[in-house]
Amino acid sequence: MDVTFQTKLHHNDYKVDQETGALSTPLHHTSTFHQFDFDSFGKFDYSRSGNPTREALESIIAELEGGVAGFAFASGMAAISTALLLLSAGDHLLISEDVYGGTYRLVSEVLSRLGVEHSFVDMANLNAVRQGIRPNTKAFYIETPSNPTMKVTDIGAVAALAKGVGALTFVDNTFLTPQLQRPLDLGADIVLHSATKFLSGHSDVVAGLAVVKNKDLAKRLGFLQNSFGAVLGAQDCWLVLRGLKTLHVRLAESQRSAQKMAGYLESHPLIKAVHYPGLKSHPQYRQHKSQASGPGAVLSFELGSVNELKIFLKHVKLPAYAVSLGGVESILSYPAKMSHAAMPAAERQKRGISDGLIRLSVGLEQVDDLIADFEQALGQVKVRSLKLA
Ligand SMILES: *Cc1c(COP(=O)(O)O)cnc(C)c1O
């Protein structure tokens, strides 16, 4: 029976444990497995290579993304690092210039040392992408919407360019999840997630996932997962599985609130810019609409100066001020000191990450309470910056 995404979160192969009828996936806390036969081993032999709780999570994320196999890792960065080990010395990687800071660090400081070349491009500009292709370009790496400037890349067009030169397309789908965007359907080969964010959703676990489009990649990435060994522990797999069950209601509600917050911020005189693909003023509003079913629950906005930002943060009460996003609680993050601290200041400026820019991940608080809180904090900015002037 073909069902919607919302129902798939509940109606899947792991809905009922076949042995006991348990509705919650059994947590297999074991490192190893007894073999009942001398030389014909069972499906599981050692938990780095495979664990039944992890298998449930890997199979469910593969189904949700529309891929053939899923892989669970100890963090989003472990998933990204392991997937990029598909590249070899001498290969070239073309990558979005405003990627997550940890991915920037991995590519520029680790992979470069191992002989994997890279260049950063503005993936929203297809001409720049075309010009960035080299004879040894083996992979294109996209984050859309990007972090934290929310630029949108045409996944289908980039995947077609990649296919034309025999390269793979990787997409970090952390911000939207398969509920809102399915990169494999658009032509990508590998989808990556920090499951720490919306997929688990409760700010209680660090986890990463990868999903691949075909059997050959499944074999290669499975080999790397087992070789490199950065697998997700059973307990953490169980937490992600539990979080996934409420993904639809959480993300739908947070997205509704984010849309309202974006509108509120856009009309506020102290806010210089709002970056959110759900706003008609977003430069790639139409492109985003054509490839995703919603703008998500993360946005960024700019105050006039670091000083104004400090006053705002001092007075805003409801959101946490923290690294991360995608939790039940609203979170404000300051990219220059948090997600993008690994990026030199000059590189941040080049990418439009100004010192007055702050990112908001909208949680499940009542949105009018959030707006009232922002209103009073921005009121303080007005009063105090007038005093300073
Ligand atoms: C958080 C994040 C990552 C890294 O994931 P971890 O789970 O923190 O290792 C990668 N990409 C994006 C877009 C992220 O937000």
Side-chain angles (χ1 to χ4, degrees):
M1 183 180 161
D2 203 19
V3 295
T4 60
F5 183 89
Q6 182 174 358
T7 301
K8 262 188 205 156
L9 291 171
H10 307 283
H11 182 79
N12 54 49
D13 289 349
Y14 298 87
K15 167 164 121 173
V16 173
D17 177 47
Q18 292 306 315
E19 210 140 299
T20 63
L23 292 189
S24 169
T25 307
L27 181 39
H28 290 274
H29 262 308
T30 184
S31 58
T32 192
F33 301 82
H34 175 69
Q35 302 305 323
F36 293 90
D37 193 83
F38 169 67
D39 57 1
S40 153
F41 292 174
K43 179 171 173 189
F44 298 102
D45 56 13
Y46 186 61
S47 276
R48 171 164 35 74
S49 315
N51 172 285
T53 312
R54 197 173 91 217
E55 183 186 54
L57 173 60
E58 293 179 330
S59 148
I60 288 170
I61 191 64
E63 190 193 352
L64 296 176
E65 285 284 6
V68 304
F71 301 91
F73 296 91
S75 67
M77 283 319 303
I80 293 166
S81 307
T82 306
L84 285 172
L85 288 180
L86 287 165
L87 298 174
S88 303
D91 290 350
H92 172 249
L93 170 71
L94 206 52
I95 179 165
S96 292
E97 61 183 359
D98 43 359
V99 276
Y100 177 73
T103 308
Y104 173 87
R105 176 171 51 205
L106 171 76
V107 167
S108 57
E109 292 187 45
V110 182
L111 293 182
S112 57
R113 199 159 49 68
L114 303 178
V116 175
E117 299 165 18
H118 65 272
S119 30
F120 290 103
V121 283
D122 175 2
M123 283 276 177
N125 177 349
L126 284 177
N127 267 333
V129 178
R130 248 179 241 114
Q131 278 161 18
I133 298 173
R134 297 184 195 165
N136 57 340
T137 301
K138 292 287 162 57
F140 291 60
Y141 189 103
I142 302 172
E143 219 179 281
T144 182
S146 68
N147 185 7
T149 49
M150 308 303 289
K151 274 192 187 168
V152 170
T153 293
D154 182 339
I155 297 175
V158 171
L161 281 176
K163 216 151 272 145
V165 297
L168 295 172
T169 304
F170 295 61
V171 179
D172 181 331
N173 204 25
T174 299
F175 272 34
L176 294 182
T177 84
Q179 180 166 328
L180 301 175
Q181 177 170 274
R182 300 221 314 172
L184 299 180
D185 293 350
L186 298 165
D189 301 289
I190 301 175
V191 176
L192 297 158
H193 281 285
S194 169
T196 311
K197 316 292 168 57
F198 290 101
L199 295 179
S200 62
H202 292 70
S203 306
D204 53 10
V205 60
V206 170
L209 295 168
V211 178
V212 297
K213 188 188 194 113
N214 63 47
K215 288 204 168 128
D216 170 54
L217 278 173
K219 220 168 132 189
R220 289 162 65 199
L221 192 57
F223 176 82
L224 286 169
Q225 182 194 38
N226 190 36
S227 303
F228 198 66
V231 294
L232 189 62
Q235 173 85 39
D236 289 347
C237 289
W238 187 88
L239 281 168
V240 180
L241 282 167
R242 185 168 70 165
L244 266 176
K245 294 184 184 187
T246 54
L247 171 64
H248 193 273
V249 278
R250 285 185 288 104
L251 187 52
E253 174 71 7
S254 287
Q255 177 173 256
R256 252 193 306 280
S257 299
Q259 185 74 49
K260 195 162 175 186
M261 287 298 288
Y264 160 74
L265 288 166
E266 195 175 38
S267 67
H268 197 288
L270 283 177
I271 304 298
K272 304 294 170 223
V274 182
H275 309 286
Y276 184 58
L279 290 175
K280 291 216 169 84
S281 57
H282 187 286
Q284 295 102 28
Y285 173 79
R286 281 163 168 277
Q287 177 55 43
H288 186 78
K289 223 173 168 173
S290 74
Q291 67 187 16
S293 60
V298 180
L299 56 100
S300 61
F301 59 97
E302 292 177 46
L303 277 148
S305 65
V306 186
N307 197 45
E308 289 188 9
L309 191 58
K310 279 187 187 159
I311 302 171
F312 171 72
L313 286 171
K314 189 166 167 205
H315 291 92
V316 76
K317 294 190 175 71
L318 292 180
Y321 178 54
V323 171
S324 202
L325 56 100
V328 290
E329 56 288 286
S330 290
I331 299 177
L332 281 164
S333 321
Y334 186 44
K337 295 270 178 207
M338 294 176 173
S339 57
H340 290 67
M343 193 178 275
E347 295 297 318
R348 283 201 303 269
Q349 300 305 331
K350 245 198 265 173
R351 291 160 170 79
I353 308 171
S354 77
D355 287 345
L357 182 136
I358 186 126
R359 192 184 70 200
L360 171 66
S361 167
V362 182
L364 298 179
E365 302 88 351
Q366 214 288 327
V367 64
D368 295 321
D369 290 335
L370 282 172
I371 289 177
D373 186 28
F374 273 49
E375 185 67 16
Q376 65 78 24
L378 288 169
Q380 292 291 333
V381 173
K382 193 170 170 196
V383 172
R384 275 153 219 270
S385 48
L386 275 180
K387 271 194 201 144
L388 287 173

